[in-house]
Amino acid sequence: MSKQSFHELGVSPPVVRALAAREIHSPFPIQERVLPDALTGLDVLVRSPTGSGKTLAFALPIVERTVPSDGRPSALVLVPTRELAAQVCGELDPLAQAKDLLVAVAYGGMPLPAQAQRAQKAHILVATPGRLIDLLDRKSINLDAVRILVLDEADRMLDMGFKPQVDRIVRRLPRNRQTMFFSATLDG
C-alpha cells in the first residue's frame, strides 16, 4: 500500500484527475521512489521489473516539466520497438492532454511524412532509434529544444544493436537536459 498520494509527490491536480479517470489512484513503489527526483529535473537510472509502473514513473515528470510554450519537441522518449512506442504513447497521451501537450509517435512501418509532420508539432516525441535517425537525416525534425531524454528498456535497446543510433541521437541533443534510463534488467 502506498504511503504518499500522487499529489503529495508533486503531481498537479489536472494530471491527478487524468490518472483518476483511468482508475489510477495511488502510486506504485517505483513511482514513489522516482518522482521526487525526476520532478525536480535530476537524472535517474531505474531498474524495475516489467509491470512495476515504470512508464508512469517517467511519463509523469515529462508531463509536469513540459509546458505548452516550450520549443517542440522538448521531451524525447526512445524505445526499442514500435509496439513499445505505441504503448508508451498510449500511456502519455491522456496525461499530456490534461496539460494541453501534444504527443507524437515515430516508428517504422508507418508513412514517414505524416509522422514527421506530427512530430514537428509535438511537445513530447516517442520514437524508435531507426525512425528518428530517418527523420533527423531528412531534416524533418529538430531536437535542439529537447530538455528531457528517456531511454525506456535501455538494456533491450542496446541488446538489439541500437547503440550507434542512440549515440548519434544523443549527440544531437542539448547537453543541458534531464536524462532518465529505465529498464527491467539493467546491470553493470
Side-chain angles (χ1 to χ4, degrees), residues 30 46 48-59 152-153 182-184:
I30 193 66
V46 179
S48 188
T50 301
S52 64
K54 289 189 301 286
T55 303
L56 280 181
F58 66 77
D152 190 20
E153 298 297 341
F182 285 79
S183 175

Side-chain angles (χ1 to χ4, degrees), residues 41-87:
L42 294 175
D43 293 345
V44 295
L45 175 62
V46 179
R47 181 181 71 182
S48 188
T50 301
S52 64
K54 289 189 301 286
T55 303
L56 280 181
F58 66 77
L60 291 168
I62 286 173
V63 169
E64 292 295 351
R65 297 192 66 241
T66 303
V67 294
S69 62
D70 273 352
R72 299 177 181 194
S74 58
L76 172 63
V77 181
L78 286 178
V79 297
T81 66
R82 64 176 148 199
E83 294 80 14
L84 187 55
Q87 176 188 331

Side-chain angles (χ1 to χ4, degrees), residues 18-19 44 71 88 97 113 165 167:
L19 289 166
V44 295
V88 168
Q97 287 178 25
Q165 292 95 331
D167 288 345

Side-chain angles (χ1 to χ4, degrees), residues 128-138 165 168-169:
T128 57
R131 179 50 59 106
L132 186 54
I133 290 290
D134 285 347
L135 292 170
L136 290 167
D137 287 349
R138 295 169 190 254
Q165 292 95 331
R168 274 184 68 195
I169 292 164

Side-chain angles (χ1 to χ4, degrees), residues 73-143:
S74 58
L76 172 63
V77 181
L78 286 178
V79 297
T81 66
R82 64 176 148 199
E83 294 80 14
L84 187 55
Q87 176 188 331
V88 168
C89 190
E91 287 287 319
L92 265 166
D93 201 44
L95 304 175
Q97 287 178 25
K99 299 281 276 203
D100 295 323
L101 301 170
L102 180 64
V103 179
V105 65
Y107 54 79
M110 300 296 290
L112 189 72
Q115 284 184 354
Q117 188 174 36
R118 184 160 170 93
Q120 290 169 354
K121 298 176 184 177
H123 301 97
I124 304 164
L125 176 60
V126 180
T128 57
R131 179 50 59 106
L132 186 54
I133 290 290
D134 285 347
L135 292 170
L136 290 167
D137 287 349
R138 295 169 190 254
K139 300 190 183 338
S140 298
I141 192 162
N142 185 320
L143 301 177

